[in-house]
Amino acid sequence: MKKLLLATLSYFVLTMALAYPWHLIWFHDIYKEIGAVQREEPIMILGISSIIIQGLVIAYLYPFYYKSGNPVFHGIKFSLLIGLMVYTVVVFANAAKFLIEPVSTFLLYGTAFSLLQFSVTGTALGLIYGRKNSLMKKESSCQM
């Protein structure tokens, strides 16, 4: 339970630390220019809720996936895999629904952000869940 909460919290903090400046500061004008219209005042509670739910699902599912090996590598791999689901909804579906031109610019920035987000949060996920396995291996090798 502790790792679930810690992994969810790390996903939330890291995603907010990346998403807020990426979407609302650094590339806000580019998104606006290509027609990816954003609210003047985002409804933050909806974005926060989305990130918390994503974090909970990823943190819950990861232990079923990770069994052994390099925890950071597996954390990134798992996050990129599950992040693909989030990516298709956020990037592909929005490009399909809204008049965004050129679509290629939107896809480029959305892809870059998703790769960054899920690589960073996957690293944290691997470190959080990998600690127990690493400590157990060290303890068993010390007892021999």
Side-chain angles (χ1 to χ4, degrees):
M1 184 63 151
K2 183 180 176 182
K3 288 188 181 204
L4 176 81
L5 293 175
L6 185 57
T8 303
L9 179 63
S10 74
Y11 182 86
F12 174 76
V13 169
L14 293 169
T15 298
M16 285 298 290
L18 294 169
Y20 189 88
W22 183 285
H23 297 297
L24 301 175
I25 300 170
W26 301 331
F27 302 110
H28 178 269
D29 293 343
I30 291 171
Y31 285 126
K32 194 173 185 177
E33 187 178 299
I34 64 173
V37 180
Q38 298 176 10
R39 295 175 175 272
E40 286 299 319
E41 292 294 322
I43 304 172
M44 293 300 290
I45 192 65
L46 293 177
I48 289 169
S49 298
S50 172
I51 294 168
I52 290 171
I53 292 167
Q54 290 168 26
L56 274 169
V57 170
I58 291 169
Y60 175 78
L61 291 176
Y62 183 66
F64 295 105
Y65 169 83
Y66 176 67
K67 301 300 178 209
S68 65
N70 183 312
V72 172
F73 172 77
H74 288 288
I76 293 170
K77 184 176 169 186
F78 177 79
S79 287
L80 287 171
L81 180 64
I82 202 163
L84 189 58
M85 296 296 291
V86 175
Y87 167 78
T88 61
V89 173
V90 172
V91 179
F92 282 9
N94 283 334
K97 292 185 285 190
F98 301 108
L99 182 58
I100 299 170
E101 293 296 335
V103 171
S104 59
T105 301
F106 184 73
L107 293 175
L108 176 69
Y109 283 92
T111 301
F113 175 76
S114 294
L115 287 171
L116 177 64
Q117 175 194 9
F118 290 105
S119 294
V120 168
T121 59
T123 299
L125 185 67
L127 291 172
I128 290 166
Y129 279 99
R131 284 192 301 181
K132 178 183 174 189
N133 292 345
S134 298
L135 291 174
M136 287 173 57
K137 287 178 186 174
K138 285 180 186 177
E139 287 175 6
S140 63
S141 67
C142 288
Q143 292 174 355
M144 292 183 177

